Amino acid sequence: MQLLHVTHPSGLDHDTGIYHPERPARLKAAAEGVQQSGVAVEEMTAVPLDPGELAIVHDPVYIDAIRRFCEAGGGDLDPDTHASTGSWKAAVTAAGAGPTAVQKLIDGFGGPAIVTVRPPGHHALRNRAMGFCLFNNVAITAARLRDAGYRVAIVDWDVHHGNGTQEAFYTDPDVLYVSLHQSPFYPFEGTAGEVGDGEGEGTVLNVPLPAFTAGDVYRRAYDELVVPALTGFRPDWILVSSGFDAHAHDPLAELRLTEDDFAFLAAALPKIVPADRIVVFLEGGYHLPAIRDSMSAVARALTGEVSLSEPSPFESPPDSHSMLERVVETVRGRVVGLG
């Protein structure tokens, strides 16, 4: 099976400063992972999104403010989030990469897609940049698919809760948002009790887990919560916010996943929707070899080229198992597919 890889060199021009962890080398590491995966890869250049189309998720006033800020030379949008002159093109191109991949898959490409772009997106709110993110790449793609009549599931395994993505679809019955993340941790949202509201009640599943949680608990969470929710929702497409900052080597977080764990998470998805209805977006991850090796493992898993027999070398503390059990009790009967 082939894999589509969508990227764009403008991502390298998003200059966050010499000491910032979200740096251009991350993009190169992710691309190396795709290339070294051993699977058949078709490379494709992302098509920038027309700025007006960002309004499917973002406030037009905010969009214009980001454009003008970058054109004026950029600077700090908050203590974590920086933009430069090159960030505007990088951001509209990152927002267009998902739709570029989706169109290629709809046109008959026979496999999944991986999108490696910068800046990342899942923290970006309707009218606010935060957490290294300017525009919410995965939410923009999901909203376009929803408006085309599809049911969309978003699986977010970044170590941080994707608060911007959750906010975008919290009352939407046609988009399921699933997040597994370290808690308590930035952005200090994503409790198990947040399950959606109004017509979207039951279409949000948060699995907050304590520091030092490893792959054993993540695999339990998939078996007991994530796969049943996805199956019950019956999506047409699955989009993945794929941060690799939950890796044991990541310097900014405290979870203990390995590349084999990311392969496990990815391999479950083609059992729910066809592989050519899966698009994976690079989000966080700040240890370059971990990004490379984890992306390579995800590429192999999505195309059926990897064994899942290797267990995690780490063991989660008892608190992690207890927290998972509390999450199960909290969401039972409240989230789609979890009776």
Side-chain angles (χ1 to χ4, degrees), residues 52-291:
E53 296 184 68
L54 296 168
I56 197 168
V57 166
H58 295 287
D59 187 326
V61 174
Y62 167 72
I63 297 166
D64 190 57
I66 293 294
R67 177 187 61 79
R68 289 186 286 106
F69 186 77
C70 294
E71 288 177 352
D76 291 325
L77 290 158
D78 68 20
D80 300 313
T81 310
H82 187 87
S84 65
T85 304
S87 297
W88 172 252
K89 183 175 180 180
V92 296
T93 305
T100 300
V102 163
Q103 190 59 56
K104 180 73 170 179
L105 269 54
I106 288 175
D107 288 344
F109 184 86
I114 288 177
V115 171
T116 60
V117 291
R118 295 177 62 245
H122 73 153
H123 293 307
L125 301 166
R126 177 168 175 77
N127 59 1
R128 179 186 168 195
M130 65 179 294
F132 311 161
C133 304
L134 302 185
F135 300 125
N136 197 316
N137 308 320
V138 72
I140 288 165
T141 303
R144 288 167 61 97
L145 284 168
R146 175 205 60 200
D147 288 357
Y150 296 106
R151 289 170 66 79
V152 184
I154 301 170
V155 178
D156 189 334
W157 61 55
D158 190 279
V159 78
H160 304 96
H161 178 252
N163 57 306
T165 308
Q166 177 174 298
E167 180 188 82
F169 303 111
Y170 202 65
T171 60
D172 194 326
D174 296 317
V175 179
L176 173 70
Y177 178 67
V178 177
S179 177
L180 304 97
H181 51 272
Q182 182 174 334
S183 178
F185 207 46
Y186 183 90
F188 304 101
E189 299 184 37
T191 67
E194 298 167 22
V195 297
D197 196 16
E199 292 184 356
E201 186 173 359
T203 60
V204 172
L205 171 61
N206 283 307
V207 186
L209 297 165
F212 309 116
T213 298
D216 52 355
V217 167
Y218 262 70
R219 296 180 192 216
R220 275 191 62 195
Y222 245 57
D223 291 341
E224 297 177 27
L225 294 172
V226 177
V227 170
L230 290 170
T231 303
F233 183 71
R234 301 179 64 185
D236 301 303
W237 290 80
I238 295 178
L239 309 181
V240 181
S241 277
S242 179
F244 297 122
D245 35 10
H247 194 283
H249 295 325
D250 194 88
L252 299 189
E254 299 164 305
L255 297 188
R256 292 181 171 179
L257 299 194
T258 68
E259 48 268 30
D260 287 331
D261 294 320
F262 287 113
F264 179 92
L265 303 182
L269 305 182
K271 299 173 185 177
I272 297 165
V273 299
D276 61 0
R277 292 299 181 265
I278 300 172
V279 182
V280 173
F281 295 71
L282 178 66
E283 296 280 6
Y286 308 100
H287 184 275
L288 299 181
I291 295 172

